[in-house]
Amino acid sequence: MGDASFGFSNRPFIWMDPRSKIVLFIASSFTLMRGISKVVSEIIFFVFISLLLFNGKQINYTIKMIVTFAIMMYVDINVASMFSGTLGVLLLTVSRVFRIFLPIVMSLTLIVRTTTVSEFIAAFEKMHITKKIVIPFSVMFRFFPTIKEQWVSIQNAMKFRGIHISIRTVVCQPMLTMEYVMVPLLMSAVKISDELSAASLSRGLGGDKKRSCITKVVFGYLDYFVVLISIGFMAYSMMN
Amino acid sequence: MIKLENVIFMYGEKGTKDKGVVGVNLNIQKGECIVLCGKSGCGKTTITRLINGLIPHFYQGRLMGSITIDGKDISNQPISKTAELVGSVFQNPGSQFFNVDTTSELAFGCENQGMVVEDILERVEETKQLFDLDRLMNRSIFELSGGEKQRIACGSIYATKPEIFVLDEPSSNLDSRSIENLRKIIAKLKQQGKTIIVSEHRLYYLKELADRYIYMEDGVIKKEINAQELNALHGNEIAAMGLRTLDLNQIEAEIKIIQSTGDKLEIKKLNCKRGKNTILDIVDLTISHGEIIAVVGDNGAGKSTFANCLCGVMKHEGNYFMGTEKLNNKKRTAKSYMVMQDVNHQLFTESVTEEVILNQNREVLDHLDELLHSLNLLDEKDTHPMALSGGQKQRVAIASAICANKDILIYDEPTSGLDYTNMTKICKLIKRMSHDISATIIITHDLEFILGCCTRVLHLAKGKVEDYYPLDKEGIEKVKEYFIEGRG
Amino acid sequence: MDNKLKTKDLISAGIFGAMYIIVMVATVTVVGFIPITYIFAPFFAGITCGTVYMLYIMKVPKRGAILILSILVGLVILSGTWISGVYAVICGIIAEILFGMGNYKSMKFATASFCAFACTTVGPFLAILIAKDSFLASVVQYYGQEYADKLDALTPSWIILVLIALGIIGGFIGATIGKKILKKHFEKAGVV
């Protein structure tokens, strides 16, 4: 969750509008609900998302996902049928059910790892979403990696005091362990919240003027293409 | 241009909490560079907040008197309006960014003002040129060092072109090279005729920039001193005012030689990798008993890595011996204690007493009062650690290390944000404690502090030991040279 | 006191939203490590998130604060399907109303409010149930009847009530712990 690349992006080869990424995400979660009924269409959809991720320069991640997908596919087709009973069901569950989740996870990754916070804000504003959502949302994104940093530091601090977390402490003294973790984490959250508020206010956030945005959010050819394919897949899964 | 008249401010909803300011009258001319100085809690930060409008729009409290900029009343106009006039840079570089990528951050202020996109891009470009930010564009703020972050923060303020710059302890978390960068930035702003107000403990880098010093005590302006007057004062007089040195060259240092008899701590073949890159490689290092070692070096030299390896919380290869005993990671973690830069992360309980005796035998209770007294914490015995001041929190952390009988103490930037008085206090404390423990390791960028208490310097560069020398007469010259050269 | 959300409240919402989600996801990941205990995820998430929630609503005791938090949580839970997202917001609205009934002050209503809010984590399960029929139909076609039957047997519809009950109990415990930690630490330190 606390990946340092949240809300930050390497320049993609072809820029994508955050809105078309959202449409793609909805399409992938929609097709899951409906179930893509043919392996071929599932593969096409998967390849499509993989290509978009490559476009966003998420090379290592995408290769990992492709390998995972291929193994699951192979197990599904060639291995699972060799076993019957519980083991067979288990293999099927892992290879099939988890496989359908891959495109959803990947399209979510596409959103969070290839969109900058300011692109989000711009896209949200174009969609006329109120700043009461836009501001918390962008702050939230920015704060995930910070929590990770704090967490590492708090864990180290706990080790020096001999109160580090282990399975034993979680089971034997759950309340105390929770207190040791939560108190410093929340204390620094409050502190950062205050400092960030002060900094943002003093830089004019939350004024009456309409914000401008240096990131232009405009639909390009790729976006139309993505939306078209997404709708196509949704329609296709409806028909089945 | 800026006028504060009979200003009284008290924090807290009813205005009952202390640490505000009383009866402040201050006139600041256009183009002036004003330095607010004084001990921690003297009210200098409050003055900066009065000027940038965070008081009363963000910090609640009771405000009386008037604050005007060019005749406009700051407390009665929305803060977003003030933001066009006054730009602020804060102490903690980590928590003042709204965006994750640097380019967006530079544009952020302009965007909030609703400027035309082309104009913003032009200004971002101009800022980039002026502050030499080329290498920092389009990066994630999470990969930047504190100094780089602070440069981006200054840049993003500059892009909105305010007439007034307010900087609240901007050097607190910076190393000497970054402070030099900061100095250059402020010099450029001054050249452009901007009005600059800096609240600061470290004064040496502002020496040639400041026009006027405002010396505060207990929320009151005690003295207004112009630059020549202050420069003429002797080092002792400045110290007596509780201020940090104005000139690094003039710091006096006594030579502290360690005659050690106890077991030495030996480190052999330490090697730490991140991914494929070796980030720290120390072949052989011996630390005598009771030594106080300053670890210096530029950002990325491996100082924090060294500290983390030494106390066993980071994965790496290496052999450690104390006398004949071999110490593995776990043993070292049990023996060592790190006072972190963000001390808030290491306070876990609900009172100072509880904090100090956490995880200890109840026997320590017998000596507790004595210990707390020696650390000047006895009055705060039942206070929640988080309600204490920065210096007090640090001492609580140190107290718990003493109680746990730790043998290796590591401090990460213990003097960041500390005033002169608190710095000398911690100097004395570290010196006193060093006799009873094997080693004290201090990561620091603070020359005044190093000369005040350390016995040796470990200079790291690019993950290797560049130099390792005692602070004898020669050593003192060497370390001074390193820090003062860092300015050039 | 001004009851409208200001910019600083929105920033707090973002920060606490992040905290809430991290704690929630971490709990669900740990608990869900063993599939059988996965069903207790709403219960445990309620316990661990309670402190974050209580601190948040004490820091921002204003109308709309809880709703925003529920939207943020909903956006993350959404990673399954949109139904769980909508459901999260419904939980948020109920929680918002409950806290509002206590005038954004009463600790009793705060506890009640979190009992409702803690049910957000039931969302993914709910989505599976609502979509179960169409899901099963496609499963039959794609995975075979035998597998569909097994899946059907694993997820009887009444289980959702058990899950919600678990969520509410977890929420109650979490809120109670949260209140205690708030009093012990945050009030004493002068943070709230």
Side-chain angles (χ1 to χ4, degrees), chain B residues 297-317:
Chain B
D298 295 342
N299 276 315
K303 302 188 296 286
S304 310
T305 311
F306 174 66
N308 285 331
C309 288
L310 180 60
C311 55
V313 294
M314 198 172 197
K315 242 182 108 180
H316 69 289
E317 283 167 25

Side-chain angles (χ1 to χ4, degrees), chain C residues 39 125 129 154-164:
Chain C
I39 213 151
F125 299 95
L129 282 186
L154 272 176
T155 52
S157 296
W158 52 263
I159 200 132
I160 203 74
L161 295 175
V162 176
L163 283 170
I164 290 181

Side-chain angles (χ1 to χ4, degrees), chain B residues 5-10 20-24 46 50 55 61-67 219:
Chain B
E5 280 173 309
N6 299 319
V7 176
I8 300 176
F9 182 79
M10 291 292 157
V21 290
V22 180
V24 169
T46 305
L50 286 165
I55 292 174
R62 231 163 55 145
L63 175 67
M64 280 179 279
S66 86
I67 308 133

Side-chain angles (χ1 to χ4, degrees), chain B residues 276-339:
Chain B
K276 280 176 196 152
N277 302 327
T278 296
I279 49 172
L280 186 66
D281 181 25
I282 294 177
V283 184
D284 189 14
L285 192 75
T286 306
I287 299 169
S288 307
H289 186 91
E291 199 105 61
I292 306 173
I293 296 183
V295 184
V296 301
D298 295 342
N299 276 315
K303 302 188 296 286
S304 310
T305 311
F306 174 66
N308 285 331
C309 288
L310 180 60
C311 55
V313 294
M314 198 172 197
K315 242 182 108 180
H316 69 289
E317 283 167 25
N319 298 311
Y320 298 77
F321 300 93
M322 180 88 78
T324 49
E325 189 192 3
K326 190 172 176 182
L327 300 175
N328 60 18
N329 281 351
K330 233 186 179 156
K331 273 191 190 157
R332 288 199 315 282
T333 310
K335 268 184 187 296
S336 55
Y337 187 85
M338 192 191 298
V339 179

Side-chain angles (χ1 to χ4, degrees), chain A residues 142 153 161 195 203 211-212, chain B residues 95 97 105 112 345 355:
Chain A
R142 183 213 164 284
S153 153
R161 306 297 293 271
E195 288 174 2
R203 290 165 66 194
R211 276 191 99 239
S212 55
Chain B
S95 62
F97 292 104
E105 191 61 28
N112 288 334
H345 289 164
E355 188 64 43

Side-chain angles (χ1 to χ4, degrees), chain B residues 51-274:
Chain B
I51 295 171
N52 61 24
L54 284 173
I55 292 174
H57 297 288
F58 181 71
Y59 295 99
Q60 288 178 327
R62 231 163 55 145
L63 175 67
M64 280 179 279
S66 86
I67 308 133
T68 55
I69 296 178
D70 287 336
K72 279 178 230 137
D73 188 346
I74 294 300
S75 50
N76 280 330
Q77 70 179 15
I79 189 163
S80 56
K81 196 102 186 134
T82 311
E84 294 172 18
L85 282 173
V86 186
S88 315
V89 176
F90 299 89
Q91 190 183 120
N92 189 348
S95 62
Q96 51 181 314
F97 292 104
F98 192 84
N99 292 278
V100 178
D101 69 300
T102 48
T103 314
S104 307
E105 191 61 28
L106 284 179
F108 182 68
C110 300
E111 290 179 340
N112 288 334
Q113 290 182 18
M115 284 170 52
V116 184
V117 173
E118 285 71 35
D119 293 350
I120 301 181
L121 292 175
E122 208 170 282
R123 286 194 181 186
V124 169
E125 185 62 31
E126 187 195 327
T127 311
K128 185 180 92 183
Q129 302 286 346
L130 185 71
F131 293 153
D132 203 12
L133 300 174
D134 247 334
R135 221 170 41 78
L136 302 180
M137 298 303 278
N138 238 326
R139 299 258 302 269
S140 161
I141 56 152
F142 291 101
E143 359 171 299
L144 304 186
S145 71
E148 291 170 330
K149 282 181 193 162
Q150 210 62 313
R151 271 162 72 194
I152 292 288
C154 291
S156 72
I157 297 305
Y158 178 80
T160 60
K161 301 220 167 149
E163 274 311 305
I164 301 160
F165 283 74
V166 173
L167 300 97
D168 182 15
E169 299 185 25
S171 80
S172 281
N173 295 296
L174 303 187
D175 59 29
S176 48
R177 231 163 270 264
S178 306
I179 291 181
E180 173 54 22
N181 266 318
L182 180 69
R183 189 191 67 77
K184 282 184 191 153
I185 287 176
I186 298 177
K188 277 178 185 161
L189 295 176
K190 200 182 170 190
Q191 226 170 40
Q192 296 197 355
K194 307 281 187 191
T195 311
I196 302 156
I197 296 126
V198 196
S199 146
E200 193 52 285
H201 288 302
R202 283 180 180 155
L203 299 177
Y204 73 87
Y205 77 98
L206 296 165
K207 192 181 175 191
E208 283 130 41
L209 300 169
D211 296 311
R212 200 147 50 107
Y213 294 85
I214 309 291
Y215 176 67
M216 299 192 64
E217 222 176 270
D218 298 326
V220 178
I221 295 183
K222 260 265 140 67
K223 259 188 230 163
E224 287 193 38
I225 317 165
N226 67 33
Q228 290 90 337
E229 278 168 10
L230 195 74
N231 290 342
L233 288 181
H234 189 264
N236 292 338
E237 291 171 281
I238 297 204
M241 288 166 78
L243 297 180
R244 292 295 207 100
T245 187
L246 277 167
D247 188 349
L248 292 181
N249 271 311
Q250 281 183 3
I251 303 171
E252 283 164 32
E254 46 173 321
I255 296 164
K256 296 162 284 286
I257 301 291
I258 292 291
Q259 268 127 14
S260 72
T261 46
D263 283 341
K264 284 182 174 139
L265 174 66
E266 284 175 273
I267 304 169
K268 290 203 190 314
K269 288 190 187 138
L270 188 166
N271 188 292
C272 181
K273 288 192 168 85
R274 182 175 291 159

